[in-house]
């Protein structure tokens, strides 16, 4: 592959990531609604910690640090979405 082909593939992957993030955020909204209806706090620190541990275990060690950074941002965004909806 040449650089343009690699860039095209990155563009395709970015589109897939956006689609999956939007789906994930939609589910986060629904979870936030259920938490509010049940009187549960939005922040579930134990769940977030376990989720990050699971993600780290699934990640290629070469990229785990970066994957964790991305997922920490995704989790924070999901929590913020839950609080704002």
């Amino acid at each position: 592959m040449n650089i343009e082909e690699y860039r095209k593939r990155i563009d395709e992957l970015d589109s897939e990531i956006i689609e999956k993030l939007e789906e994930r955020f939609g589910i986060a909204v629904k979870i936030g609604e259920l938490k509010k209806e049940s009187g549960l706090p939005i922040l579930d620190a134990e769940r977030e910690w376990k989720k990050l541990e699971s993600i780290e275990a699934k990640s290629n060690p070469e990229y785990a640090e970066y994957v964790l950074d991305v997922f920490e941002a995704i989790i924070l965004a999901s929590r913020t979405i839950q609080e704002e909806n």
Side-chain angles (χ1 to χ4, degrees), residues 26-58:
I27 293 169
V29 168
K30 293 177 193 291
I31 290 171
E33 291 169 354
L34 291 172
K35 286 178 177 179
K36 288 174 184 175
E37 289 172 10
S38 302
L40 296 171
I42 296 298
L43 174 61
D44 185 346
E46 184 177 344
R47 161 80 177 149
E48 289 182 12
W49 179 254
K50 287 180 180 178
K51 187 67 184 168
L52 289 171
E53 284 181 333
S54 170
I55 289 164
E56 183 176 25
K58 293 176 186 178

Side-chain angles (χ1 to χ4, degrees), residues 15-26:
S15 293
E16 291 175 30
I17 290 168
I18 290 166
E19 181 182 325
K20 295 300 181 185
L21 282 173
E22 290 174 350
E23 180 181 357
R24 189 185 199 286
F25 292 149

